[in-house]
Amino acid sequence: MKKIVVKFGGSNLRQPQDIDRVVNVVQAYQRPLVLVVSAFYGITNALIACVQAAREGAGTKAALAESQNYTQTLRALKKQILEANISDPEHRARTEQALGARLDQLDRYLTGIHCIGDVPTFVNDAILSYGERLSSLLLTEVLLSRGIAAREALPEDIGLITDGVFGNSACDFAASTASVSAALADDVVFVVPGFYGVDAQGKTTLFGRGGSDYSAASIAACISAESLDVWKDVDGFLSADPGAVSAPRSISQLNYLEAAELSYFGAKILHPRTVEPLFDRDIPIRILNITQPERGLQPYTIIDAQRHVTRDVVKSVSSTDDVAILKLHGPGVGFKAGILAQVTNTLDQHGINIKSVLTAQTAINILLARDHLDAAYAALSEHHLAGVVNVSRDDAVAIVAVVGDGVLDASDVGSAIASRALSAALAGGVRVRLAAAGASEVAAYMLVQQEDRKLALRLVHEEFFGK
């Protein structure tokens, strides 16, 4: 029997009592599983802040004390969780000792920063993986205490091999599939920490922020899982953010491309790369809500390869303000050969990812993540590209996108989708900076002034779904 990979994110792990919900879900399956777990809510952000503080204060007694104080805080938190979830004193003491050993390792990494006065990339990735390492150990012991046959399976032990890119790696499936499949073959509940794998030399490399979803998808691909079940605290994908529109509709089915575009354009249900390992393997992703136990194992949204064009085409309207524009101006940028190649090469050398590119004869508009804007501006300003007379930047923007199979090619209806969305936004007073359609089979989007984002989202949602 094929196994199901089950992912629990940080939103499922906020309070000590949340572990009970996770255990109840595991028991409901009544079969061996592969669980992939994130860090408890807020832990990764705290570790990032801890690393940054250590970097800035490297070598000072105050910074070292701050690092040690944080690991002490983690020890107290994990002890609180153990006391709430493991009743047997001996089992609780053994688990506390094991967690302590793992926190000692974290302490040594943080102390090392102060000794060398720097944070090498492999050290940064190792430190940030500890939120997940603590979660997997703790959950394994809680499951064992409840009579569930469980075993922790660390990526370094099961052979989850990456391409070696620190901070934003990808799974090397050729190197991983056989070893991961063999390591997870036994009829027990395996608990795997998400967010990281190891390179060919055994060094920890992260799958990027929010990368536990990608971890789970990669493992599902390696073992040819029956499905990837992602447990959230919301009712799956919706037609819009419920914080921005009233009574959004639930979406019962999406295909891989629709889910990827919605995630890319701001939906927080999945990491945008989650569908990548599953795209050609026909493994469905099922989105379930851990706060609705009465539904059992019935998903709210199923994501698979099936294409389904609805009558009105658009399935959801999504938005994000994690975007900025870097603009290259020049009367000859549309005619000068090689400019775009130079731009992409320069940004790649600085580790900067491009979200999208919109070009004209006199300008190249590059869309980036907001926190990459300053570094990209500095890199291209210093490069002195031939034909570029000015480089400007703007982070006061947001993206609003319409997503649905058929946006590009649904004949009479599809061809009007982008213009309907744009017209609705403009008629309501939204200041639209740029608009794009045709690049994706399932999405069209516009850039608007940042303060107009929620207004644009509401107007476009009303255009396709009514008030």
Side-chain angles (χ1 to χ4, degrees), residues 405-443:
D405 200 353
V407 162
L408 177 62
D409 58 8
S411 62
D412 14 338
V413 179
S415 61
I417 295 298
S419 60
R420 282 177 62 190
L422 181 60
S423 297
L426 291 171
V430 173
R431 291 162 292 177
V432 178
R433 301 288 302 278
L434 291 168
S440 167
E441 298 174 30
V442 301

PDB file of all heavy atoms in Angstrom, residues 405-443:
ATOM      1  N   ASP A 405      -8.095  28.332 -14.635  1.00  0.00           N
ATOM      2  CA  ASP A 405      -7.809  27.677 -15.907  1.00  0.00           C
ATOM      3  C   ASP A 405      -8.742  28.254 -16.977  1.00  0.00           C
ATOM      4  O   ASP A 405      -9.960  28.263 -16.811  1.00  0.00           O
ATOM      5  CB  ASP A 405      -8.030  26.167 -15.769  1.00  0.00           C
ATOM      6  CG  ASP A 405      -7.302  25.383 -16.847  1.00  0.00           C
ATOM      7  OD1 ASP A 405      -6.748  26.007 -17.757  1.00  0.00           O
ATOM      8  OD2 ASP A 405      -7.276  24.147 -16.753  1.00  0.00           O
ATOM      9  N   GLY A 406      -8.167  28.731 -18.068  1.00  0.00           N
ATOM     10  CA  GLY A 406      -8.960  29.344 -19.122  1.00  0.00           C
ATOM     11  C   GLY A 406      -8.772  30.842 -19.226  1.00  0.00           C
ATOM     12  O   GLY A 406      -9.281  31.472 -20.159  1.00  0.00           O
ATOM     13  N   VAL A 407      -8.055  31.447 -18.284  1.00  0.00           N
ATOM     14  CA  VAL A 407      -7.808  32.896 -18.352  1.00  0.00           C
ATOM     15  C   VAL A 407      -7.154  33.262 -19.677  1.00  0.00           C
ATOM     16  O   VAL A 407      -7.461  34.291 -20.273  1.00  0.00           O
ATOM     17  CB  VAL A 407      -6.928  33.350 -17.168  1.00  0.00           C
ATOM     18  CG1 VAL A 407      -6.295  34.707 -17.416  1.00  0.00           C
ATOM     19  CG2 VAL A 407      -7.755  33.413 -15.884  1.00  0.00           C
ATOM     20  N   LEU A 408      -6.271  32.409 -20.170  1.00  0.00           N
ATOM     21  CA  LEU A 408      -5.577  32.714 -21.422  1.00  0.00           C
ATOM     22  C   LEU A 408      -6.346  32.299 -22.662  1.00  0.00           C
ATOM     23  O   LEU A 408      -6.446  33.055 -23.623  1.00  0.00           O
ATOM     24  CB  LEU A 408      -4.204  32.027 -21.432  1.00  0.00           C
ATOM     25  CG  LEU A 408      -3.376  32.179 -22.712  1.00  0.00           C
ATOM     26  CD1 LEU A 408      -3.051  33.647 -22.955  1.00  0.00           C
ATOM     27  CD2 LEU A 408      -2.096  31.365 -22.623  1.00  0.00           C
ATOM     28  N   ASP A 409      -6.964  31.089 -22.634  1.00  0.00           N
ATOM     29  CA  ASP A 409      -7.425  30.535 -23.905  1.00  0.00           C
ATOM     30  C   ASP A 409      -8.877  30.084 -23.927  1.00  0.00           C
ATOM     31  O   ASP A 409      -9.260  29.276 -24.756  1.00  0.00           O
ATOM     32  CB  ASP A 409      -6.532  29.351 -24.303  1.00  0.00           C
ATOM     33  CG  ASP A 409      -6.512  28.264 -23.240  1.00  0.00           C
ATOM     34  OD1 ASP A 409      -7.290  28.349 -22.275  1.00  0.00           O
ATOM     35  OD2 ASP A 409      -5.699  27.329 -23.392  1.00  0.00           O
ATOM     36  N   ALA A 410      -9.718  30.607 -23.031  1.00  0.00           N
ATOM     37  CA  ALA A 410     -11.122  30.177 -23.022  1.00  0.00           C
ATOM     38  C   ALA A 410     -11.966  30.993 -24.004  1.00  0.00           C
ATOM     39  O   ALA A 410     -13.004  31.539 -23.671  1.00  0.00           O
ATOM     40  CB  ALA A 410     -11.702  30.283 -21.624  1.00  0.00           C
ATOM     41  N   SER A 411     -11.523  31.083 -25.225  1.00  0.00           N
ATOM     42  CA  SER A 411     -12.194  31.766 -26.346  1.00  0.00           C
ATOM     43  C   SER A 411     -12.908  33.044 -25.912  1.00  0.00           C
ATOM     44  O   SER A 411     -12.299  33.966 -25.410  1.00  0.00           O
ATOM     45  CB  SER A 411     -13.149  30.796 -27.059  1.00  0.00           C
ATOM     46  OG  SER A 411     -14.157  30.352 -26.168  1.00  0.00           O
ATOM     47  N   ASP A 412     -14.254  33.104 -26.102  1.00  0.00           N
ATOM     48  CA  ASP A 412     -14.973  34.359 -25.859  1.00  0.00           C
ATOM     49  C   ASP A 412     -14.889  34.851 -24.424  1.00  0.00           C
ATOM     50  O   ASP A 412     -14.770  36.031 -24.172  1.00  0.00           O
ATOM     51  CB  ASP A 412     -16.455  34.263 -26.243  1.00  0.00           C
ATOM     52  CG  ASP A 412     -16.947  32.871 -26.472  1.00  0.00           C
ATOM     53  OD1 ASP A 412     -16.105  32.029 -26.748  1.00  0.00           O
ATOM     54  OD2 ASP A 412     -18.151  32.646 -26.384  1.00  0.00           O
ATOM     55  N   VAL A 413     -14.952  33.929 -23.455  1.00  0.00           N
ATOM     56  CA  VAL A 413     -14.928  34.367 -22.056  1.00  0.00           C
ATOM     57  C   VAL A 413     -13.506  34.698 -21.617  1.00  0.00           C
ATOM     58  O   VAL A 413     -13.235  35.751 -21.054  1.00  0.00           O
ATOM     59  CB  VAL A 413     -15.524  33.274 -21.143  1.00  0.00           C
ATOM     60  CG1 VAL A 413     -15.462  33.724 -19.691  1.00  0.00           C
ATOM     61  CG2 VAL A 413     -16.964  32.987 -21.538  1.00  0.00           C
ATOM     62  N   GLY A 414     -12.564  33.802 -21.905  1.00  0.00           N
ATOM     63  CA  GLY A 414     -11.201  33.972 -21.424  1.00  0.00           C
ATOM     64  C   GLY A 414     -10.534  35.226 -21.924  1.00  0.00           C
ATOM     65  O   GLY A 414      -9.795  35.876 -21.193  1.00  0.00           O
ATOM     66  N   SER A 415     -10.777  35.586 -23.179  1.00  0.00           N
ATOM     67  CA  SER A 415     -10.108  36.756 -23.734  1.00  0.00           C
ATOM     68  C   SER A 415     -10.539  38.033 -23.041  1.00  0.00           C
ATOM     69  O   SER A 415      -9.862  39.045 -23.123  1.00  0.00           O
ATOM     70  CB  SER A 415     -10.396  36.842 -25.236  1.00  0.00           C
ATOM     71  OG  SER A 415     -11.801  36.982 -25.443  1.00  0.00           O
ATOM     72  N   ALA A 416     -11.680  37.993 -22.345  1.00  0.00           N
ATOM     73  CA  ALA A 416     -12.172  39.201 -21.691  1.00  0.00           C
ATOM     74  C   ALA A 416     -11.787  39.284 -20.223  1.00  0.00           C
ATOM     75  O   ALA A 416     -12.041  40.300 -19.577  1.00  0.00           O
ATOM     76  CB  ALA A 416     -13.702  39.249 -21.815  1.00  0.00           C
ATOM     77  N   ILE A 417     -11.174  38.242 -19.697  1.00  0.00           N
ATOM     78  CA  ILE A 417     -10.922  38.181 -18.259  1.00  0.00           C
ATOM     79  C   ILE A 417     -10.027  39.314 -17.792  1.00  0.00           C
ATOM     80  O   ILE A 417     -10.344  40.047 -16.850  1.00  0.00           O
ATOM     81  CB  ILE A 417     -10.296  36.824 -17.876  1.00  0.00           C
ATOM     82  CG1 ILE A 417     -11.281  35.682 -18.128  1.00  0.00           C
ATOM     83  CG2 ILE A 417      -9.835  36.835 -16.427  1.00  0.00           C
ATOM     84  CD1 ILE A 417     -12.547  35.765 -17.318  1.00  0.00           C
ATOM     85  N   ALA A 418      -8.884  39.493 -18.430  1.00  0.00           N
ATOM     86  CA  ALA A 418      -7.934  40.514 -17.991  1.00  0.00           C
ATOM     87  C   ALA A 418      -8.532  41.914 -18.115  1.00  0.00           C
ATOM     88  O   ALA A 418      -8.368  42.754 -17.227  1.00  0.00           O
ATOM     89  CB  ALA A 418      -6.644  40.415 -18.799  1.00  0.00           C
ATOM     90  N   SER A 419      -9.242  42.170 -19.217  1.00  0.00           N
ATOM     91  CA  SER A 419      -9.827  43.502 -19.405  1.00  0.00           C
ATOM     92  C   SER A 419     -10.951  43.767 -18.404  1.00  0.00           C
ATOM     93  O   SER A 419     -11.116  44.888 -17.922  1.00  0.00           O
ATOM     94  CB  SER A 419     -10.344  43.666 -20.842  1.00  0.00           C
ATOM     95  OG  SER A 419     -11.332  42.705 -21.143  1.00  0.00           O
ATOM     96  N   ARG A 420     -11.725  42.725 -18.050  1.00  0.00           N
ATOM     97  CA  ARG A 420     -12.778  42.901 -17.038  1.00  0.00           C
ATOM     98  C   ARG A 420     -12.173  43.249 -15.678  1.00  0.00           C
ATOM     99  O   ARG A 420     -12.661  44.141 -14.982  1.00  0.00           O
ATOM    100  CB  ARG A 420     -13.603  41.617 -16.915  1.00  0.00           C
ATOM    101  CG  ARG A 420     -14.624  41.407 -18.019  1.00  0.00           C
ATOM    102  CD  ARG A 420     -15.341  40.084 -17.840  1.00  0.00           C
ATOM    103  NE  ARG A 420     -16.096  40.028 -16.586  1.00  0.00           N
ATOM    104  CZ  ARG A 420     -16.652  38.904 -16.115  1.00  0.00           C
ATOM    105  NH1 ARG A 420     -16.519  37.774 -16.783  1.00  0.00           N
ATOM    106  NH2 ARG A 420     -17.328  38.938 -14.983  1.00  0.00           N
ATOM    107  N   ALA A 421     -11.108  42.546 -15.313  1.00  0.00           N
ATOM    108  CA  ALA A 421     -10.452  42.817 -14.031  1.00  0.00           C
ATOM    109  C   ALA A 421      -9.882  44.233 -14.006  1.00  0.00           C
ATOM    110  O   ALA A 421     -10.063  44.979 -13.031  1.00  0.00           O
ATOM    111  CB  ALA A 421      -9.344  41.799 -13.776  1.00  0.00           C
ATOM    112  N   LEU A 422      -9.204  44.616 -15.079  1.00  0.00           N
ATOM    113  CA  LEU A 422      -8.604  45.947 -15.153  1.00  0.00           C
ATOM    114  C   LEU A 422      -9.667  47.033 -15.138  1.00  0.00           C
ATOM    115  O   LEU A 422      -9.550  48.043 -14.422  1.00  0.00           O
ATOM    116  CB  LEU A 422      -7.744  46.050 -16.419  1.00  0.00           C
ATOM    117  CG  LEU A 422      -7.015  47.376 -16.657  1.00  0.00           C
ATOM    118  CD1 LEU A 422      -6.062  47.675 -15.516  1.00  0.00           C
ATOM    119  CD2 LEU A 422      -6.269  47.336 -17.987  1.00  0.00           C
ATOM    120  N   SER A 423     -10.742  46.836 -15.896  1.00  0.00           N
ATOM    121  CA  SER A 423     -11.815  47.838 -15.955  1.00  0.00           C
ATOM    122  C   SER A 423     -12.495  48.011 -14.608  1.00  0.00           C
ATOM    123  O   SER A 423     -12.808  49.131 -14.195  1.00  0.00           O
ATOM    124  CB  SER A 423     -12.849  47.430 -17.010  1.00  0.00           C
ATOM    125  OG  SER A 423     -12.279  47.402 -18.296  1.00  0.00           O
ATOM    126  N   ALA A 424     -12.719  46.897 -13.909  1.00  0.00           N
ATOM    127  CA  ALA A 424     -13.354  46.982 -12.591  1.00  0.00           C
ATOM    128  C   ALA A 424     -12.497  47.776 -11.621  1.00  0.00           C
ATOM    129  O   ALA A 424     -12.996  48.588 -10.833  1.00  0.00           O
ATOM    130  CB  ALA A 424     -13.611  45.574 -12.054  1.00  0.00           C
ATOM    131  N   ALA A 425     -11.193  47.537 -11.650  1.00  0.00           N
ATOM    132  CA  ALA A 425     -10.290  48.257 -10.753  1.00  0.00           C
ATOM    133  C   ALA A 425     -10.236  49.742 -11.091  1.00  0.00           C
ATOM    134  O   ALA A 425     -10.359  50.608 -10.208  1.00  0.00           O
ATOM    135  CB  ALA A 425      -8.890  47.647 -10.826  1.00  0.00           C
ATOM    136  N   LEU A 426     -10.107  50.066 -12.371  1.00  0.00           N
ATOM    137  CA  LEU A 426     -10.008  51.472 -12.779  1.00  0.00           C
ATOM    138  C   LEU A 426     -11.308  52.222 -12.488  1.00  0.00           C
ATOM    139  O   LEU A 426     -11.285  53.378 -12.039  1.00  0.00           O
ATOM    140  CB  LEU A 426      -9.660  51.560 -14.269  1.00  0.00           C
ATOM    141  CG  LEU A 426      -8.246  51.111 -14.662  1.00  0.00           C
ATOM    142  CD1 LEU A 426      -8.114  51.040 -16.172  1.00  0.00           C
ATOM    143  CD2 LEU A 426      -7.199  52.064 -14.084  1.00  0.00           C
ATOM    144  N   ALA A 427     -12.432  51.572 -12.730  1.00  0.00           N
ATOM    145  CA  ALA A 427     -13.721  52.226 -12.492  1.00  0.00           C
ATOM    146  C   ALA A 427     -13.924  52.553 -11.017  1.00  0.00           C
ATOM    147  O   ALA A 427     -14.635  53.509 -10.681  1.00  0.00           O
ATOM    148  CB  ALA A 427     -14.862  51.329 -12.987  1.00  0.00           C
ATOM    149  N   GLY A 428     -13.296  51.792 -10.151  1.00  0.00           N
ATOM    150  CA  GLY A 428     -13.425  52.027  -8.712  1.00  0.00           C
ATOM    151  C   GLY A 428     -12.378  52.967  -8.152  1.00  0.00           C
ATOM    152  O   GLY A 428     -12.294  53.130  -6.929  1.00  0.00           O
ATOM    153  N   GLY A 429     -11.552  53.552  -9.024  1.00  0.00           N
ATOM    154  CA  GLY A 429     -10.567  54.527  -8.575  1.00  0.00           C
ATOM    155  C   GLY A 429      -9.216  53.955  -8.200  1.00  0.00           C
ATOM    156  O   GLY A 429      -8.385  54.658  -7.609  1.00  0.00           O
ATOM    157  N   VAL A 430      -8.960  52.699  -8.526  1.00  0.00           N
ATOM    158  CA  VAL A 430      -7.667  52.104  -8.220  1.00  0.00           C
ATOM    159  C   VAL A 430      -6.604  52.669  -9.167  1.00  0.00           C
ATOM    160  O   VAL A 430      -6.830  52.782 -10.371  1.00  0.00           O
ATOM    161  CB  VAL A 430      -7.731  50.571  -8.360  1.00  0.00           C
ATOM    162  CG1 VAL A 430      -6.343  49.947  -8.219  1.00  0.00           C
ATOM    163  CG2 VAL A 430      -8.687  49.988  -7.330  1.00  0.00           C
ATOM    164  N   ARG A 431      -5.468  53.022  -8.619  1.00  0.00           N
ATOM    165  CA  ARG A 431      -4.352  53.517  -9.430  1.00  0.00           C
ATOM    166  C   ARG A 431      -3.514  52.335  -9.908  1.00  0.00           C
ATOM    167  O   ARG A 431      -2.766  51.733  -9.127  1.00  0.00           O
ATOM    168  CB  ARG A 431      -3.501  54.491  -8.614  1.00  0.00           C
ATOM    169  CG  ARG A 431      -4.207  55.807  -8.296  1.00  0.00           C
ATOM    170  CD  ARG A 431      -3.547  56.542  -7.160  1.00  0.00           C
ATOM    171  NE  ARG A 431      -3.716  55.832  -5.892  1.00  0.00           N
ATOM    172  CZ  ARG A 431      -3.184  56.223  -4.746  1.00  0.00           C
ATOM    173  NH1 ARG A 431      -2.433  57.321  -4.705  1.00  0.00           N
ATOM    174  NH2 ARG A 431      -3.390  55.527  -3.635  1.00  0.00           N
ATOM    175  N   VAL A 432      -3.663  51.986 -11.181  1.00  0.00           N
ATOM    176  CA  VAL A 432      -2.992  50.825 -11.758  1.00  0.00           C
ATOM    177  C   VAL A 432      -1.684  51.284 -12.402  1.00  0.00           C
ATOM    178  O   VAL A 432      -1.668  52.210 -13.208  1.00  0.00           O
ATOM    179  CB  VAL A 432      -3.882  50.131 -12.800  1.00  0.00           C
ATOM    180  CG1 VAL A 432      -3.148  48.953 -13.432  1.00  0.00           C
ATOM    181  CG2 VAL A 432      -5.186  49.654 -12.151  1.00  0.00           C
ATOM    182  N   ARG A 433      -0.599  50.623 -12.038  1.00  0.00           N
ATOM    183  CA  ARG A 433       0.713  50.993 -12.545  1.00  0.00           C
ATOM    184  C   ARG A 433       1.091  50.201 -13.801  1.00  0.00           C
ATOM    185  O   ARG A 433       1.639  50.739 -14.746  1.00  0.00           O
ATOM    186  CB  ARG A 433       1.757  50.752 -11.452  1.00  0.00           C
ATOM    187  CG  ARG A 433       1.507  51.542 -10.163  1.00  0.00           C
ATOM    188  CD  ARG A 433       1.810  53.007 -10.370  1.00  0.00           C
ATOM    189  NE  ARG A 433       3.174  53.189 -10.793  1.00  0.00           N
ATOM    190  CZ  ARG A 433       4.223  53.208  -9.956  1.00  0.00           C
ATOM    191  NH1 ARG A 433       4.018  53.086  -8.657  1.00  0.00           N
ATOM    192  NH2 ARG A 433       5.446  53.353 -10.424  1.00  0.00           N
ATOM    193  N   LEU A 434       0.839  48.903 -13.767  1.00  0.00           N
ATOM    194  CA  LEU A 434       1.158  48.025 -14.881  1.00  0.00           C
ATOM    195  C   LEU A 434       0.125  46.906 -14.923  1.00  0.00           C
ATOM    196  O   LEU A 434      -0.504  46.601 -13.911  1.00  0.00           O
ATOM    197  CB  LEU A 434       2.550  47.391 -14.712  1.00  0.00           C
ATOM    198  CG  LEU A 434       3.790  48.281 -14.825  1.00  0.00           C
ATOM    199  CD1 LEU A 434       5.020  47.504 -14.342  1.00  0.00           C
ATOM    200  CD2 LEU A 434       4.000  48.752 -16.250  1.00  0.00           C
ATOM    201  N   ALA A 435      -0.037  46.283 -16.078  1.00  0.00           N
ATOM    202  CA  ALA A 435      -0.919  45.126 -16.189  1.00  0.00           C
ATOM    203  C   ALA A 435      -0.282  44.125 -17.142  1.00  0.00           C
ATOM    204  O   ALA A 435       0.421  44.500 -18.091  1.00  0.00           O
ATOM    205  CB  ALA A 435      -2.299  45.537 -16.693  1.00  0.00           C
ATOM    206  N   ALA A 436      -0.513  42.843 -16.875  1.00  0.00           N
ATOM    207  CA  ALA A 436       0.091  41.799 -17.703  1.00  0.00           C
ATOM    208  C   ALA A 436      -0.875  40.642 -17.873  1.00  0.00           C
ATOM    209  O   ALA A 436      -1.512  40.202 -16.916  1.00  0.00           O
ATOM    210  CB  ALA A 436       1.389  41.306 -17.075  1.00  0.00           C
ATOM    211  N   ALA A 437      -0.980  40.153 -19.092  1.00  0.00           N
ATOM    212  CA  ALA A 437      -1.804  38.974 -19.389  1.00  0.00           C
ATOM    213  C   ALA A 437      -1.165  38.252 -20.560  1.00  0.00           C
ATOM    214  O   ALA A 437      -0.527  38.866 -21.420  1.00  0.00           O
ATOM    215  CB  ALA A 437      -3.230  39.382 -19.723  1.00  0.00           C
ATOM    216  N   GLY A 438      -1.352  36.934 -20.588  1.00  0.00           N
ATOM    217  CA  GLY A 438      -0.850  36.155 -21.703  1.00  0.00           C
ATOM    218  C   GLY A 438       0.375  35.328 -21.397  1.00  0.00           C
ATOM    219  O   GLY A 438       0.660  34.352 -22.080  1.00  0.00           O
ATOM    220  N   ALA A 439       1.135  35.711 -20.372  1.00  0.00           N
ATOM    221  CA  ALA A 439       2.346  34.954 -20.042  1.00  0.00           C
ATOM    222  C   ALA A 439       2.007  33.620 -19.386  1.00  0.00           C
ATOM    223  O   ALA A 439       2.722  32.634 -19.562  1.00  0.00           O
ATOM    224  CB  ALA A 439       3.246  35.776 -19.125  1.00  0.00           C
ATOM    225  N   SER A 440       0.920  33.587 -18.618  1.00  0.00           N
ATOM    226  CA  SER A 440       0.506  32.366 -17.933  1.00  0.00           C
ATOM    227  C   SER A 440      -0.785  31.840 -18.537  1.00  0.00           C
ATOM    228  O   SER A 440      -1.652  32.620 -18.946  1.00  0.00           O
ATOM    229  CB  SER A 440       0.295  32.657 -16.440  1.00  0.00           C
ATOM    230  OG  SER A 440      -0.383  31.589 -15.805  1.00  0.00           O
ATOM    231  N   GLU A 441      -0.933  30.519 -18.532  1.00  0.00           N
ATOM    232  CA  GLU A 441      -2.160  29.912 -19.029  1.00  0.00           C
ATOM    233  C   GLU A 441      -3.328  30.144 -18.086  1.00  0.00           C
ATOM    234  O   GLU A 441      -4.489  30.074 -18.484  1.00  0.00           O
ATOM    235  CB  GLU A 441      -1.974  28.399 -19.199  1.00  0.00           C
ATOM    236  CG  GLU A 441      -0.918  27.991 -20.195  1.00  0.00           C
ATOM    237  CD  GLU A 441      -0.701  26.484 -20.194  1.00  0.00           C
ATOM    238  OE1 GLU A 441      -1.666  25.760 -19.903  1.00  0.00           O
ATOM    239  OE2 GLU A 441       0.418  26.043 -20.474  1.00  0.00           O
ATOM    240  N   VAL A 442      -3.021  30.432 -16.815  1.00  0.00           N
ATOM    241  CA  VAL A 442      -4.084  30.435 -15.812  1.00  0.00           C
ATOM    242  C   VAL A 442      -4.154  31.720 -14.994  1.00  0.00           C
ATOM    243  O   VAL A 442      -4.940  31.806 -14.055  1.00  0.00           O
ATOM    244  CB  VAL A 442      -3.930  29.235 -14.845  1.00  0.00           C
ATOM    245  CG1 VAL A 442      -3.976  27.919 -15.614  1.00  0.00           C
ATOM    246  CG2 VAL A 442      -2.653  29.333 -14.027  1.00  0.00           C
ATOM    247  N   ALA A 443      -3.361  32.746 -15.322  1.00  0.00           N
ATOM    248  CA  ALA A 443      -3.349  33.943 -14.480  1.00  0.00           C
ATOM    249  C   ALA A 443      -3.104  35.201 -15.297  1.00  0.00           C
ATOM    250  O   ALA A 443      -2.415  35.191 -16.315  1.00  0.00           O
ATOM    251  CB  ALA A 443      -2.283  33.820 -13.389  1.00  0.00           C
TER     252      ALA A 443
END
